[in-house]
Amino acid sequence: MLASCDLMIVGSKNRAEAFGMTIVESFAQSIPVIAPMLHTGVNFLVQQDKTGLIYEVENEKQLRERVDQLEKDPQLYETLSKSCREFYNQNLTFEKFKKNLINL
């Protein structure tokens, strides 16, 4: 189901969204993410203009602008798509978690 999506939007409003496994799943499929600035693990994953786009919590206008930005700029979309997959490969695969756990 997720593989058929072009974009994932995180709609969380508070810091209860500490990390976001749906973001990891999106990155694994090379799907860019638009997420709110929650100052949690969400923003460790979704970094402005690197692995996705950020909007201020409950700022509907800014969220719409971010969606429009990706819709109007295919090069940005491609860049984010590649970057989020690279981030996944470098940091989020099972093998990476396993290696980091063993190193602890």
Side-chain angles (χ1 to χ4, degrees):
M1 192 74 101
L2 183 61
S4 66
C5 296
D6 294 323
L7 175 67
M8 205 272 270
I9 298 173
V10 178
S12 301
K13 295 182 180 183
N14 62 51
R15 294 178 52 89
E17 184 76 58
F19 187 71
M21 285 306 295
T22 56
I23 297 169
V24 174
E25 293 169 6
S26 295
F27 283 10
Q29 298 291 321
S30 302
I31 299 170
V33 177
I34 299 176
M37 178 50 77
L38 295 174
H39 304 285
T40 65
V42 167
N43 303 119
F44 165 75
L45 297 170
V46 183
Q47 301 167 22
Q48 180 68 27
D49 295 324
K50 293 180 183 171
T51 58
L53 299 175
I54 302 295
Y55 67 96
E56 292 300 319
V57 175
E58 295 191 46
N59 187 331
E60 293 174 26
K61 181 178 183 251
Q62 193 177 51
L63 172 56
R64 183 71 227 171
E65 289 170 355
R66 298 296 187 250
V67 172
D68 290 344
Q69 185 179 1
L70 284 182
E71 194 172 68
K72 293 175 183 175
D73 189 345
Q75 183 60 46
L76 176 61
Y77 180 88
E78 284 300 315
T79 298
L80 295 178
S81 180
K82 288 177 185 174
S83 295
C84 65
R85 179 60 191 208
E86 288 173 13
F87 186 89
Y88 173 82
N89 288 336
Q90 293 172 2
N91 301 288
L92 303 171
T93 64
F94 175 75
E95 288 303 317
K96 290 291 182 176
F97 275 116
K98 182 177 156 183
K99 182 179 177 182
N100 289 337
L101 185 60
I102 290 170
N103 289 338
L104 283 176

